[in-house]
Amino acid sequence: MSQTPAVRAVRAVRAVRAVRADEWARARDLRLEALRDPAAPVAFLETYDDSVRRPDSFWRERTERSARGTSARQFVAELADGGEWAGSVVALVERRGAADAVGGVSAYDQAHLVGVYVRPEYRGSGVLKELFDAAIAWAWSLEEPRVERVRLLVDERNGRARAAYRKLGFEPTGVTAPVAGDPVEGAASAREFELAVARPTGC
């Protein structure tokens, strides 16, 4: 019996690792692919039309920050067969009392997962869990700040993503916020739900 691409993918992931600064073009291409996904309007605040016009210098700087900094880290799931990337996630560090990634003020020292994307043929394979495990482990490893929790925001219209995050242990906090700069034409008062996982005791 032949295996589906998703089943093959989870068995063929060579590594989930931090992106390298010199991989900016691959990071750009994966991001642009994500922004063309049918779910992009309820998954990302950026749009393809805006992003495709950004200069190479933007992507170089963005990837370098995510590769080497302590305030952000991008992880990719790399397949053993040819090194294709099956997906990616970015962890942003938000400090207590400082501005967070969506214009609010963080009440915690926390990591915020953004830019979550798994290519359609690898969804349901376990790639998302491997990406999240790597990003969360990195967050817990930070000495300064000592991250208290990892959170994410999910659009109320993105039920599939919300179910996937709940399956990975993220629980609703009760916090909601309007979708800033909602890219869905004609949308009215759409909201995002905050889901989070607390730092394990003794970690």
Side-chain angles (χ1 to χ4, degrees), residues 114-170:
V114 300
V116 180
Y117 180 65
V118 174
R119 284 179 159 152
E121 63 268 34
Y122 303 124
R123 291 172 189 168
S125 71
V127 168
L128 181 65
K129 181 180 186 303
E130 292 195 47
L131 286 166
F132 272 41
D133 285 350
I136 292 169
W138 176 78
W140 298 155
S141 76
L142 295 174
E143 295 182 1
E144 178 58 33
R146 188 174 188 275
V147 170
E148 302 169 60
R149 67 176 194 162
V150 177
R151 73 159 182 162
L152 52 78
L153 298 173
V154 59
D155 193 299
E156 64 184 349
R157 297 162 293 187
N158 198 350
R160 178 174 178 172
R162 190 162 68 250
Y165 302 151
R166 292 291 303 273
K167 188 176 180 180
L168 294 178
F170 284 76

Side-chain angles (χ1 to χ4, degrees), residues 59-72:
W59 299 103
R60 285 192 182 98
E61 292 167 8
R62 182 172 180 168
T63 305
E64 184 170 358
R65 288 196 304 271
S66 297
R68 299 174 178 167
T70 57
S71 61

Side-chain angles (χ1 to χ4, degrees), residues 78-128:
E78 184 175 67
L79 301 183
D81 184 10
E84 179 185 12
W85 289 356
S88 176
V89 64
V90 179
L92 303 177
V93 176
E94 297 174 332
R95 290 177 174 265
R96 182 192 300 269
D100 64 21
V102 291
V105 176
S106 179
Y108 302 88
D109 285 326
Q110 63 189 8
H112 183 172
L113 302 187
V114 300
V116 180
Y117 180 65
V118 174
R119 284 179 159 152
E121 63 268 34
Y122 303 124
R123 291 172 189 168
S125 71
V127 168
L128 181 65

